[in-house]
């Protein structure tokens, strides 16, 4: 498991390096923001659940959310049910399934930190785990258990998750300076409904407000 963790960390750093090349950041400062990373590796087991309970809204697998870090590496079993928001849909709140074609497949999801570093130029992907597509129509079905692994890559704790200089040279910052650790605490306080006095007004004049964001990770 530790080898897997290290392997995932190295994949994420390579992806950060690729973004540096794409954005013309030649001082290594994006990768430097992630060393050492403060990543959580989350293994989730979803118990068996009647599909009708999910349909009625009385139970969820994982509610729509964005992850907190720059990116997440996600691995799922063959059960299905993972969905990503369809941003092209004009109806809003529309999701498309990401069916498991192969259980060795790795899904890369953009998270909040990359949104903030790019001053909103790249938006975190809203995703959820729900009823597999093939079980949505017929009633009375029982959804089998499901397992997933999420390598929730996070920046180094004391590093800023405010916008990178490159993305605020021509437009004002939409996100305030805050450390990765402070950001994590703030997001956790929303998920767990804890008032964080320290950050209560930090975000008032920016695009994010605690009550406007639905998160889970
Ligand atoms: O179980 C899944 O496929 C999604 C898990 C997830 O979104 C998360 O752990 O943040
Ligand atoms: Fe997630």
């Amino acid at each position: 498991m530790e080898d897997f963790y290290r392997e995932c960390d190295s994949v994420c750093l390579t992806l950060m390096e690729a973004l540096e090349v794409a954005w013309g950041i030649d001082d290594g400062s994006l990768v430097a923001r992630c060393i050492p990373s403060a990543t959580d590796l989350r293994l989730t087991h979803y118990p068996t659940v009647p599909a009708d309970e999910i349909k009625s809204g009385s139970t969820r697998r994982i509610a729509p959310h964005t992850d907190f870090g720059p990116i997440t590496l996600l691995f799922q079993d063959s059960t299905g049910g993972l969905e990503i928001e369809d941003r092209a849909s004009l109806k809003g709140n529309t999701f498309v399934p990401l069916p498991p074609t192969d259980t060795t497949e790795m899904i890369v999801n953009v998270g909040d930190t990359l949104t903030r570093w790019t001053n909103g130029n790249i938006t975190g992907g809203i995703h959820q785990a729900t009823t597999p597509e093939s079980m949505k129509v017929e009633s009375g079905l029982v959804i089998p258990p499901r397992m997933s692994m999420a390598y929730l890559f996070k920046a180094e704790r004391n590093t800023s998750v405010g916008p990178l200089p490159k993305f605020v040279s021509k437009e004002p910052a939409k996100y305030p300076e805050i450390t990765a650790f402070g950001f994590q605490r703030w997001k956790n306080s929303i998920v767990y409904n804890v008032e964080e006095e320290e950050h209560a007004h930090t975000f008032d004049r920016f695009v994010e407000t605690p009550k406007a964001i639905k998160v889970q990770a």
Side-chain angles (χ1 to χ4, degrees):
M1 191 53 78
E2 282 172 24
D3 286 350
F4 177 72
Y5 183 98
R6 275 190 283 274
E7 181 95 4
C8 287
D9 206 58
S10 149
V11 169
C12 289
L13 290 174
T14 304
L15 290 171
M16 292 302 112
E17 258 176 69
L19 288 177
E20 284 182 348
V21 173
W23 294 335
I25 297 173
D26 51 19
D27 59 359
S29 56
L30 187 59
V31 171
R33 285 182 177 215
C34 306
I35 298 177
S37 79
T39 301
D40 307 310
L41 174 60
R42 180 156 65 205
L43 278 67
T44 310
H45 172 257
Y46 302 88
T48 302
V49 61
D52 294 337
E53 277 188 25
I54 293 196
K55 199 170 180 182
S56 72
S58 65
T59 308
R60 282 179 185 275
R61 282 212 146 160
I62 191 164
H65 67 282
T66 50
D67 299 336
F68 300 171
I71 55 171
T72 298
L73 307 182
L74 187 58
F75 307 84
Q76 58 174 332
D77 70 10
S78 56
T79 310
L82 177 64
E83 299 189 343
I84 184 120
E85 186 190 31
D86 179 5
R87 293 195 193 137
S89 164
L90 300 175
K91 280 192 284 171
N93 200 26
T94 307
F95 286 80
V96 287
L98 278 182
T101 48
D102 171 354
T103 50
T104 63
E105 194 173 60
M106 181 180 84
I107 296 159
V108 181
N109 209 350
V110 169
D112 301 328
T113 298
L114 211 57
T115 305
R116 300 169 59 86
W117 279 344
T118 62
N119 205 29
N121 279 282
I122 292 187
T123 320
I126 300 178
H127 52 287
Q128 65 177 356
T130 184
T131 308
E133 203 57 12
S134 61
M135 303 183 80
K136 280 189 177 165
V137 182
E138 201 177 324
S139 59
L141 297 180
V142 175
I143 309 175
R146 176 172 182 273
M147 292 182 86
S148 71
M149 268 194 308
Y151 186 81
L152 300 151
F153 187 53
K154 305 259 169 73
E156 189 276 324
R157 286 183 159 217
N158 297 309
T159 212
S160 168
V161 295
L164 292 163
K166 169 159 187 83
F167 292 95
V168 284
S169 55
K170 297 198 185 89
E171 53 183 23
K174 295 181 188 150
Y175 302 89
E177 289 294 330
I178 183 171
T179 63
F181 183 58
F183 184 61
Q184 172 84 22
R185 280 187 55 185
W186 176 60
K187 297 289 257 188
N188 279 341
S189 74
I190 301 165
V191 172
Y192 298 108
N193 285 322
V194 183
E195 276 303 318
E196 275 273 305
E197 270 310 310
E198 196 187 328
H199 299 308
H201 301 292
T202 313
F203 301 92
D204 286 357
R205 71 197 163 83
F206 293 92
V207 291
E208 301 171 300
T209 62
K211 291 189 178 56
I213 299 175
K214 256 192 186 166
V215 284
Q216 188 95 34

